[in-house]
Amino acid sequence: MEPGDAARLGPGRAARALPPRLLLLPLLPLLLGRGLRAAAAASSGAAAEDSSAMEELATEKEAEESHRQDSVSLLTFILLLTLTILTIWLFKHRRVRFLHETGLAMIYGLIVGVILRYGTPATSGHDKSLSCTQEDRAFSTLLVNVSGKFFEYTLKGEISPGKINSVEQNDMLRKVTFDPEVFFNILLPPIIFHAGYSLKKRHFFRNLGSILAYAFLGTAVSCFIIGNLMYGVVKLMKIVGQLSDKFYYTDCLFFGAIISATDPVTVLAIFNELHADVDLYALLFGESVLNDAVAIVLSSSIVAYQPAGLNTHAFDAAAFFKSVGIFLGIFSGSFTMGAVTGVVTALVTKFTKLHCFPLLETALFFLMSWSTFLLAEACGFTGVVAVLFCGITQAHYTYNNLSVESRSRTKQLFEVLHFLAENFIFSYMGLALFTFQKHVFSPVFIIGAFVAIFLGRAAHIYPLSFFLNLGRRHKIGWNFQHMMMFSGLRGAMAFALAIRDTASYARQMMFTTTLLIVFFTVWIIGGGTTPMLSWLNIRVGVDPDQDPPPNNDSFQVLQGDGPDSARGNRTKQESAWLFRLWYSFDHNYLKPILTHSGPPLTTTLPAWCGLLARCLTSPQVYDNQEPLREEDSDFILTEGDLTLTYGDSTVTANGSSGSHTASTSLEGSRRTKSSSEEVLDRALGTGDQPVSSRGTRLVFPLEDNA
């Protein structure tokens, strides 16, 4: 083809007529560009894979380093506890009582905190600061997209520019700062459960009215007195210019609630070693056990106080009564949940043969007890209250169903967990003084808090003791009142409540002040317990399981020439009528249903409940001649404790007597009738000879024999 022919064919035909080699020339740049881009893409893909592999390797190294730091942190606390235990042994060997193990744990924690704060090199994990525009809304998390990978950051709180260096000091300080939920979900449950499970019920119920008054009324009075006094201190700080942020009245009440939680662990430990007066021990122990629960529910109610309107911190009657309702609802719901869990555990251990496998029995007991705390928290109640009453219920019912090996295991298990958890918390208190990053030290607030706590404790103890003595046969003496006033230590519960929320300026100041108050009370007041006992002439060396004399207030005396006169001239004693009603119901119905002890339900329930009674009554009840007893004498009252007095001679159902030795034998649970009076009549039977009622005194001890 000639060149002219191509021109005549037109552009389309000319293009089709060109050779293939010439047709590829215009496409060469395009094909070359695609090839270059493909090669570039392949190389970039390889680079991305290499980068991803390097990132994964770096992540693994960071995870390994974090694991090592976590191990070092836990090892630090374990070494602290080990050193504390060795020092405790030395102190006990040398009979040193001026410093308790909790004080030692705090001292060792302080030493380690100083080393970590000032003796370790600073390593910051922040490469550069990011500047963000201020928004109207507050965000709690930050989501960052880096090359398709998303990273989530949690907002811990606002800091001032001058504290950035201290926040970025080193990773070890951040590692030893535990999440507050660790204290509530892991460390507190064994402490509170052990308090309920090891409760000596005979002393507790003998002083039940006074304990309830001190725990409920006293804690509420102390909370409001401390809160109002601290509100005056805050106003003073505002006048003198030492208040740099907002501090509301509800914050002061919250501080009054958390600081009202007493923890006289040091005093009670010394009481136990010296065998101090059992009534004083019961009052202090019962108050400290219950007022922890009251304080945490009271603080939750104060937090829930939300007045309507613009001013959310003004007084609102509707919001106040709503908070009171929340307090009652949370406390009653937590109490019910703890008791129900204990009842379920008792039924499971009764109607199964878990006692044949002590390891499984102990494991189930442990898990059911711990789950009570978590279940209450998950349902919006308070786990402290639930696990406390679960422990009391477990000790009264489930303990009787356990095998001998499981009884020993559960007692020792929770005792060890209680010891380790409590000393761990006190060690962390000493550590937190130097490693915690949100301290706010205010001398005026700290001094005011000490004065307010002293006045609140005084208004708590002395007026209530005066009113309680009006109805008590055995008065609470001035030496007991002074000792209770002196023993108002603050400890693990106050610290745990204070550290749970440290986001605001007010809460940070509360936490710092609470920490210093715990230090002072544990070291100074705890160390002065033994001299105070001597100065107040409080008797020591008393066997807590020894029966008190008949004229003690632990007995309820019925005097007269006949049954009618005896009932009419009944000596008033604290909670005796409530105790007798509870004992009758518990002995006739609850014990046979939940345990292998007590009278058969076929003798206590109506005849139309015969089938149900036979199903719920354990076969062991018919085989046993006597109800099962706890080894540590924790029953409230049993038939073996009934005492009959004829003039100068005292005859007891368990064989002991006064000037004229005589003994009676119990008829056993098989002869028990449906009413409590018939139960007592049966128990006091002396064979075929009738008992003369003239000139007799019927004595009901509210505590059992050892």
Side-chain angles (χ1 to χ4, degrees):
M1 179 181 294
E2 297 296 331
D5 298 333
R8 289 192 300 268
L9 291 174
R13 289 187 174 185
R16 284 193 296 270
L18 291 175
R21 293 189 302 271
L22 298 177
L23 291 175
L24 291 175
L25 290 176
L27 300 177
L28 188 60
L30 179 60
L31 295 175
L32 183 60
R34 288 182 177 179
L36 292 174
R37 285 195 296 270
S43 61
S44 63
E49 291 179 359
D50 294 340
S51 177
S52 178
M54 293 179 64
E55 289 179 0
E56 291 179 0
L57 182 61
T59 303
E60 291 178 359
K61 290 183 177 180
E62 290 178 0
E64 184 179 356
E65 183 65 25
S66 178
H67 172 71
R68 290 179 180 176
Q69 292 181 357
D70 291 338
S71 301
V72 171
S73 301
L74 293 178
L75 179 62
T76 301
F77 285 103
I78 290 176
L79 292 178
L80 280 174
L81 294 179
T82 304
L83 186 60
T84 302
I85 290 173
L86 292 176
T87 313
I88 291 170
W89 168 81
L90 181 62
F91 276 37
K92 289 183 179 294
H93 181 68
R94 299 294 183 183
R95 298 184 183 275
V96 177
R97 293 192 179 94
F98 67 88
L99 188 61
H100 191 250
E101 55 256 31
T102 54
L104 286 172
M106 295 172 68
I107 291 176
Y108 291 141
L110 282 172
I111 295 173
V112 175
V114 171
I115 295 174
L116 292 178
R117 183 61 182 264
Y118 301 106
T120 56
T123 57
S124 175
H126 302 269
D127 295 332
K128 60 181 180 179
S129 300
L130 299 178
S131 177
C132 302
T133 58
Q134 186 174 1
E135 301 285 346
D136 295 333
R137 291 186 300 131
F139 296 94
S140 59
T141 59
L142 177 65
L143 196 65
V144 180
N145 183 359
V146 180
S147 300
K149 293 186 176 181
F150 294 90
F151 299 89
E152 183 181 4
Y153 297 89
T154 303
L155 178 65
K156 302 297 292 184
E158 182 182 358
I159 60 173
S160 60
K163 295 185 177 181
I164 292 179
N165 293 330
S166 62
V167 172
E168 299 180 352
Q169 186 175 10
N170 61 59
D171 294 332
M172 179 59 71
L173 296 183
R174 290 192 293 272
K175 289 293 183 181
V176 297
T177 303
F178 282 91
D179 188 347
E181 296 304 316
V182 172
F183 292 98
F184 269 83
N185 295 328
I186 297 179
L187 298 179
L188 276 184
I191 294 176
I192 302 301
F193 182 85
H194 178 265
Y197 194 57
S198 63
L199 182 68
K200 295 294 183 181
K201 294 185 290 294
R202 64 181 180 278
H203 304 310
F204 181 85
F205 282 95
R206 189 172 68 194
N207 299 279
L208 181 61
S210 299
I211 290 173
L212 292 177
Y214 286 129
F216 284 87
L217 293 178
T219 305
V221 169
S222 176
C223 168
F224 283 97
I225 288 179
I226 294 176
N228 284 279
L229 291 176
M230 294 311 299
Y231 188 65
V233 172
V234 169
K235 289 293 185 181
L236 177 63
M237 293 173 60
K238 188 175 182 180
I239 293 175
V240 299
Q242 293 191 6
L243 193 66
S244 59
D245 207 337
K246 297 179 181 179
F247 209 119
Y248 298 104
Y249 178 70
T250 53
D251 295 328
C252 297
L253 286 181
F254 179 81
F255 177 74
I258 64 175
I259 209 64
S260 296
T262 59
D263 185 18
V265 57
T266 305
V267 176
L268 294 177
I270 295 176
F271 279 13
N272 194 31
E273 292 178 4
L274 298 178
H275 297 291
D277 191 282
V278 291
D279 285 329
L280 177 60
Y281 184 94
L283 290 173
L284 276 175
F285 181 78
E287 180 204 358
S288 65
V289 166
L290 289 181
N291 89 330
D292 284 349
V294 174
I296 190 172
V297 179
L298 190 60
S299 62
S300 300
S301 302
I302 294 174
V303 172
Y305 177 78
Q306 294 293 337
L310 297 178
N311 191 358
T312 58
H313 294 276
F315 178 77
D316 188 352
F320 172 77
F321 287 109
K322 180 181 178 182
S323 297
V324 173
I326 291 174
F327 175 85
L328 297 177
I330 291 178
F331 197 93
S332 59
S334 303
F335 165 78
T336 303
M337 187 168 293
V340 167
T341 308
V343 167
V344 170
T345 310
L347 292 174
V348 171
T349 54
K350 177 185 177 181
F351 291 104
T352 61
K353 293 187 179 298
L354 277 172
H355 62 273
C356 299
F357 306 95
L359 180 61
L360 299 180
E361 191 179 36
T362 305
L364 179 66
F365 184 92
F366 175 80
L367 294 177
M368 291 290 290
S369 304
W370 201 304
S371 63
T372 305
F373 183 92
L374 301 177
L375 179 62
E377 292 289 334
C379 294
F381 296 109
T382 300
V384 171
V385 181
V387 78
L388 171 64
F389 288 100
C390 175
I392 296 175
T393 307
Q394 301 273 43
H396 192 54
Y397 298 113
T398 312
Y399 184 86
N400 294 314
N401 300 334
L402 301 178
S403 62
V404 176
E405 188 175 355
S406 294
R407 293 183 185 184
S408 176
R409 281 181 176 179
T410 54
K411 287 278 188 181
Q412 295 174 0
L413 173 64
F414 282 102
E415 186 177 4
V416 171
L417 289 177
H418 164 264
F419 175 81
L420 292 178
E422 192 165 64
N423 282 276
F424 186 93
I425 290 179
F426 279 95
S427 297
Y428 184 77
M429 288 183 194
L431 197 69
L433 186 63
F434 290 97
T435 60
F436 198 73
Q437 303 294 331
K438 300 179 181 180
H439 285 304
V440 177
F441 292 93
S442 175
V444 177
F445 190 85
I446 294 171
I447 295 174
F450 275 97
V451 175
I453 289 173
F454 177 82
L455 296 178
R457 184 69 179 173
H460 168 185
I461 296 297
Y462 295 113
L464 281 180
S465 300
F466 171 78
F467 289 109
L468 289 172
N469 283 335
L470 298 178
R472 285 178 62 102
R473 181 169 174 262
H474 183 67
K475 311 300 182 184
I476 302 175
W478 284 106
N479 57 345
F480 278 22
Q481 297 180 36
H482 295 329
M483 193 67 213
M484 294 180 68
M485 171 70 190
F486 180 80
S487 303
L489 282 75
R490 272 64 179 177
M493 180 58 68
F495 174 79
L497 290 173
I499 200 176
R500 198 171 191 180
D501 183 7
T502 57
S504 64
Y505 169 81
R507 298 298 174 87
Q508 294 168 10
M509 187 182 297
M510 292 180 203
F511 172 72
T512 303
T513 306
T514 301
L515 198 58
L516 296 177
I517 290 172
V518 172
F519 286 163
F520 177 82
T521 56
V522 170
W523 288 339
I524 305 301
I525 297 180
T529 301
T530 303
M532 185 62 67
L533 284 173
S534 177
W535 186 65
L536 293 176
N537 295 322
I538 295 176
R539 59 177 185 157
V540 295
V542 180
D543 186 1
D545 294 326
Q546 182 181 2
D547 288 336
N551 58 355
N552 193 279
D553 73 323
S554 62
F555 293 86
Q556 179 186 356
V557 182
L558 307 182
Q559 297 178 343
D561 294 333
D564 297 334
S565 176
R567 293 179 183 178
N569 296 325
R570 180 176 299 174
T571 301
K572 298 293 184 181
Q573 188 195 350
E574 175 188 11
S575 302
W577 63 273
L578 180 62
F579 170 79
R580 287 178 58 83
L581 290 177
W582 163 252
Y583 168 69
S584 176
F585 179 75
D586 179 65
H587 177 77
N588 293 332
Y589 303 105
L590 294 183
K591 277 287 182 66
I593 292 175
L594 301 177
T595 68
H596 301 296
S597 62
L601 290 172
T602 53
T603 62
T604 57
L605 289 177
W608 56 271
C609 297
L611 179 61
L612 180 63
R614 286 191 296 270
C615 294
L616 294 178
T617 302
S618 176
Q620 288 89 328
V621 173
Y622 300 100
D623 299 335
N624 295 333
Q625 294 296 325
E626 293 183 1
L628 298 178
R629 294 178 60 89
E630 299 180 14
E631 293 181 355
D632 59 351
S633 302
D634 273 347
F635 275 133
I636 303 175
L637 181 63
T638 61
E639 291 90 344
D641 297 317
L642 298 175
T643 306
L644 188 64
T645 304
Y646 295 93
D648 296 331
S649 64
T650 301
V651 181
T652 61
N654 54 15
S656 61
S657 62
S659 60
H660 301 286
T661 304
S663 63
T664 63
S665 61
L666 296 176
E667 294 294 329
S669 58
R670 294 172 297 179
R671 300 182 56 186
T672 305
K673 294 183 180 180
S674 58
S675 64
S676 60
E677 281 76 10
E678 293 174 351
V679 172
L680 301 179
D681 293 338
R682 291 274 186 175
L684 290 171
T686 57
D688 297 332
Q689 297 180 358
V691 179
S692 175
S693 61
R694 189 179 67 177
T696 64
R697 292 186 299 158
L698 186 59
V699 183
F700 301 100
L702 297 190
E703 65 177 356
D704 59 328
N705 297 326

